[in-house]
Structure formats: C-alpha cells, structure tokens
Amino acid sequence: QLQLVQSGAEVKKPGASVKVSCEASGYTFTTYGITWVRQAPGQGLEWMGYISVSTGNTNYAQKFQGRVTITADTSTSVVYMELRNLRSDDTAVYFCARGTGTFFHTTRAFDIWGQGTTVTVSS
Amino acid sequence: EIVLTQSPDSLSLSPGERATLSCRASQNVNSYYLAWYQQKPGQAPRLLIYGASNRVTGIPDRFSGSESGTDFTLIISRLEPEDFAVYYCQYFGSSWWPFGQGTKVEIK
C-alpha cells in the first residue's frame, strides 16, 4: 500500500529540538524525493525543505537554513526532519510528502502525503 | 523570489455553482511546475492538478486548471458538497517551492 506514515505528536520546550520521522512503503524508496511542509494553527502551508533520497542531497527554505536537517535512511525507508532551537511559533502540524521526481529540479508536485505530526512548543 | 498570491481569500457558493480560483505569480514562471491542492479540515492536502492543467488520476473532471501568463486558474465547474475546502497553489521554483496563501471555498 502506497503510504507515508509519520511519528506521533510531540510536546517540546522552547530551545529544544524535535525529530519527526516519515516511513515510506508501497514504492521504491530511492526513486522519489521527500519534502517537509508545516502548517501553523489556522494558517496556510509552508514549505520547509526537501531531500533527494537517491543522492542524499538537500534543499532548505531560506527561513529554516541552519535550524533544520532532513536525512534519509535507505535501509529502513525512513526520512527524518530535525528542527532545532524551537520557538513557540514553531507550533504546527508537520507533514512529509513524496515529490513526483527523483531530484529537486525534476519535482513538480507532491503526490503522496503523510498524516501529519503535531508539534507543540510550550514552556 | 517568487510569491504566489491567491484570490479571493474566500468564496461563498452553493452546491452546483461554478468556482473560479486564481493564483498569480510575482514573476514569469514555467507552468510545468505549478500545482494545485485541496485540503479539508484535519486532513493532509491532496494533489489535484500538476503542470497547471494536468488532472491527477481519480480527480473528477469538474476540476480543471488553466494558465494565462503569470495567472493560473482552478475551476470547479459544479460544486459538490465534498468540494468545500481550502485550495492552495504551489510553484516548484529553482531554489524554493512556495505555496499561495490559500482560497477557502465555503458553503453559502
């Protein structure tokens, strides 16, 4: 079954880090890249970054450069997104999604989405 | 840096009516890299259209996409009850992939 399954909800304190996982199944993992998108409460979608699973190359939105790291474990078909130095405005639902291409420049849509992971940052 | 501006922010229509949603890019873009998504409350987004006008397999043909220069349009020809949702456009640029702010289609 073609799907992305994300890890469970997290509650973190300001300044901490969070690592969210996204397990892929039902397709050849290295054929497609994976992206991360977040959505703050009541807000729109915000693209965070991307990993080409076949090469390990990453591209990050400038807003998150230096604070986010996306990695892929091809032995387990899992992609991880770590966000550091959390602030209250990082409270959001974080989605992983599959890109339609193998590489950053061949991607033109996100066709499969995970169910979302709620990350709450509160003191 | 490309910015996508969607209009209107919200649209109040009745089932059976036609919905016209706009997405304007701040500069010339390649329509090959423009996608549309639908999102319902509490759910992940769903891909509807890619390449500005290509409907994903399984998406009803009442959904269509078109382009005119830097303006992109999503049309829902006859709204069904399940179509009331928020719609986002997205562009896959050379260094970043922004979304529009979304258009909420509400039941009148």
Side-chain angles (χ1 to χ4, degrees):
Chain A
Q1 184 181 358
L2 186 58
Q3 62 180 356
L4 299 174
V5 178
Q6 299 182 222
S7 50
E10 303 264 11
V11 179
K12 297 291 182 180
K13 293 192 181 303
S17 299
V18 68
K19 194 169 187 177
V20 182
S21 68
C22 172
E23 182 175 7
S25 59
Y27 69 94
T28 301
F29 184 56
T30 53
T31 301
Y32 301 91
I34 294 288
T35 200
W36 288 88
V37 172
R38 76 178 186 181
Q39 186 168 40
Q43 303 301 308
L45 303 172
E46 182 174 33
W47 177 68
M48 298 180 68
Y50 165 89
I51 186 165
S52 171
V53 173
S54 65
T55 64
N57 290 340
T58 53
N59 297 77
Y60 301 123
Q62 191 167 8
K63 174 177 179 176
F64 299 101
Q65 286 272 5
R67 211 159 65 92
V68 68
T69 300
I70 300 173
T71 56
D73 184 340
T74 56
S75 67
T76 58
S77 299
V78 176
V79 173
Y80 299 93
M81 185 282 298
E82 181 180 35
L83 188 62
R84 299 176 292 278
N85 193 20
L86 290 166
R87 307 184 289 256
S88 58
D89 62 358
D90 291 317
T91 294
V93 177
Y94 289 76
F95 294 100
C96 63
R98 190 182 80 165
T100 54
T102 304
F103 309 107
F104 186 82
H105 294 293
T106 61
T107 300
R108 59 195 294 214
F110 304 146
D111 60 351
I112 306 296
W113 291 71
Q115 82 276 19
T117 297
T118 299
V119 174
T120 303
V121 183
S122 174
S123 54
Chain B
E1 194 172 89
I2 292 168
V3 175
L4 299 178
T5 303
Q6 293 186 240
S7 60
D9 288 333
S10 64
L11 205 48
S12 185
L13 295 168
S14 300
E17 289 193 297
R18 177 185 178 98
T20 302
L21 287 65
S22 174
C23 173
R24 173 168 289 179
S26 58
Q27 57 188 270
N28 286 336
V29 297
N30 184 340
S31 63
Y32 184 85
Y33 293 105
L34 192 288
W36 288 94
Y37 303 88
Q38 175 194 68
Q39 187 181 33
K40 297 179 181 178
Q43 296 185 17
R46 177 173 72 148
L47 177 64
L48 300 175
I49 301 281
Y50 63 94
S53 61
N54 300 286
R55 200 166 43 246
V56 171
T57 301
I59 299 301
D61 62 6
R62 63 181 180 271
F63 290 91
S64 64
S66 65
E67 61 148 319
S68 177
T70 58
D71 292 333
F72 297 88
T73 302
L74 176 69
I75 290 176
I76 311 171
S77 59
R78 295 172 310 280
L79 283 163
E80 297 287 342
E82 62 267 28
D83 299 337
F84 292 92
V86 180
Y87 294 83
Y88 295 93
C89 58
Q90 183 186 22
Y91 185 69
F92 289 80
S94 60
S95 61
W96 88 301
W97 294 342
F99 290 92
Q101 82 277 15
T103 292
K104 185 175 184 178
V105 179
E106 302 174 301
I107 299 177
K108 188 172 183 180

